């Protein structure tokens, strides 16, 4: 692969900008300054640095962001803060996109990647990559809610949700754990509205077997490895176990 082609795919710079930067000595390959944009490289075997920062040679990039309130997941929202503002420059790529969405007022686990196939695997209902949410309700949890979730709730617009799980977190009256296998627009909020309640806050805490790290501050992100991706695709989090973990953390 050409050096400028590689850097263009893994940074936000244009080919023209990169050619100038390479000529100016801003790029090293295995610690040696390279000034030829067309030099052939082997990204997975060589260490390429741009302005002193390592540019990984992995084919795809996977990022876990602990999304704060007030940020939207779209890249084109005039006047809004977008989640891409929270990604450090060395982790930005032109094709980086959120996997699914969290609305502006929601927080927690948000995956971003340039791997379109993986994104589809996670968001497609048939993949059964479950998503876990902790929500706080305006009014106390009602015992009949759980069965309605299990039966599949019909939303106000007539859309039908596939069966899901929900339970009140022990020791609370209005904090709830929800498990979904799909991701309709504002789904959890609309499901609770269909039951006559209102979601005051929503945090996504897990996808598949990957749980939001408790030591990852709100607004921070980290790069994911292959083992993390396998947790999302192949591991499963037990609903009862997740409920007990939340019970301990809330007590």
């Amino acid at each position: 692969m050409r050096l400028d082609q590689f850097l263009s795919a893994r940074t936000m710079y244009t080919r023209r900008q990169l050619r100038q930067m390479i000529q100016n000595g801003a790029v090293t390959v295995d610690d040696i300054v390279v000034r030829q944009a067309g030099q052939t490289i082997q990204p997975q075997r060589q260490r390429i640095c741009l302005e002193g920062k390592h540019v990984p040679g992995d084919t795809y990039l996977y990022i876990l962001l602990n999304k704060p309130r007030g940020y939207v997941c779209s890249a084109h929202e005039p006047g809004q803060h977008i989640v891409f503002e929270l990604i450090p420059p060395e982790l930005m790529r032109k094709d980086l996109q959120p996997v699914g969405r969290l609305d502006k007022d929601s927080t927690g686990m948000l995956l971003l990647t340039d791997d379109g196939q993986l994104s589809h695997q996670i968001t497609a209902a048939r993949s059964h990559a479950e998503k876990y949410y902790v929500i706080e309700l305006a009014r106390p949890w009602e015992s009949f809610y759980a069965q309605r979730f299990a039966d599949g709730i019909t939303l106000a617009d007539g859309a039908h949700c596939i069966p899901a799980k929900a339970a009140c977190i022990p020791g609370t009256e209005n904090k709830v754990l929800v498990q979904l296998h799909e991701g309709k627009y504002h789904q959890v909020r609309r499901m609770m509205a269909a039951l006559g309640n209102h979601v005051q806050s929503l945090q996504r805490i897990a996808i598949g077997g990957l749980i939001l790290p408790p030591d990852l501050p709100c607004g921070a992100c980290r790069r994911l490895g292959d083992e993390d991706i396998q947790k999302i695709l192949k591991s499963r989090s037990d609903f009862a176990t997740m409920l007990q973990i939340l019970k301990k953390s809330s007590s």
Side-chain angles (χ1 to χ4, degrees):
M1 179 181 290
R2 284 173 55 107
L3 179 59
D4 58 348
Q5 178 187 2
F6 166 76
L7 291 173
S8 177
R10 286 160 177 77
T11 70
M12 298 301 290
Y13 296 108
T14 65
R15 286 278 192 99
R16 183 177 181 179
Q17 289 173 320
L18 286 166
R19 284 195 291 269
Q20 187 62 53
M21 296 170 77
I22 292 169
Q23 291 175 8
N24 292 340
V27 176
T28 60
V29 177
D30 291 336
D31 299 323
I32 299 174
V33 174
V34 174
R35 299 181 187 274
Q36 297 298 320
Q39 177 168 325
T40 301
I41 59 169
Q42 295 178 299
Q44 295 183 338
R45 294 185 179 182
Q46 295 177 294
R47 181 179 176 83
I48 294 89
C49 293
L50 176 63
E51 295 184 324
K53 295 180 180 179
H54 179 221
V55 181
D58 309 67
T59 304
Y60 296 114
L61 175 66
Y62 308 99
I63 296 173
L64 169 59
L65 171 68
N66 188 355
K67 178 189 171 300
R69 186 188 297 268
Y71 286 77
V72 298
C73 292
S74 172
H76 306 288
E77 291 283 349
Q80 300 283 351
H81 287 292
I82 60 176
V83 293
F84 295 99
E85 297 173 21
L86 302 170
I87 308 301
E90 62 270 21
L91 290 179
M92 280 299 299
R93 292 186 182 181
K94 292 184 179 68
D95 296 329
L96 193 66
Q97 295 294 331
V99 179
R101 298 293 177 99
L102 281 176
D103 63 59
K104 181 178 179 180
D105 294 326
S106 298
T107 65
M109 179 181 285
L110 180 67
L111 302 178
L112 299 99
T113 184
D114 53 355
D115 184 348
Q117 182 176 351
L118 176 78
S119 180
H120 177 72
Q121 282 182 268
I122 294 173
T123 56
R126 65 177 179 272
S127 71
H128 301 297
E130 68 267 23
K131 292 88 175 174
Y132 284 90
Y133 304 85
V134 172
I135 62 174
E136 184 173 354
L137 299 175
R139 291 177 295 283
W141 168 265
E142 299 281 352
S143 58
F144 73 89
Y145 290 171
Q147 188 58 52
R148 291 289 301 278
F149 268 80
D151 293 339
I153 293 173
T154 299
L155 305 178
D157 63 357
H160 185 72
C161 302
I162 64 176
K165 293 182 180 180
C168 190
I169 297 172
T172 74
E173 291 185 345
N174 65 338
K175 289 187 178 180
V176 178
L177 175 65
V178 175
Q179 181 201 70
L180 299 182
H181 290 285
E182 58 181 342
K184 291 181 171 64
Y185 178 74
H186 288 182
Q187 182 171 345
V188 176
R189 297 180 187 275
R190 294 164 67 201
M191 291 171 84
M192 291 310 309
L195 297 178
N197 213 323
H198 173 70
V199 175
Q200 292 184 315
S201 66
L202 182 151
Q203 180 190 34
R204 184 156 60 200
I205 61 168
I207 299 178
L210 184 65
I211 299 174
L212 183 67
D215 61 343
L216 184 65
C218 188
C221 67
R222 66 177 53 165
R223 187 182 181 121
L224 297 179
D226 291 339
E227 67 281 0
D228 299 310
I229 302 306
Q230 292 307 308
K231 286 181 181 180
I232 295 173
L233 297 177
K234 297 184 178 181
S235 300
R236 294 291 178 261
S237 298
D238 179 70
F239 186 83
T241 300
M242 292 286 287
L243 202 57
Q244 288 303 309
I245 292 173
L246 293 168
K247 176 184 177 180
K248 292 178 181 179
S249 64
S250 64
S251 61

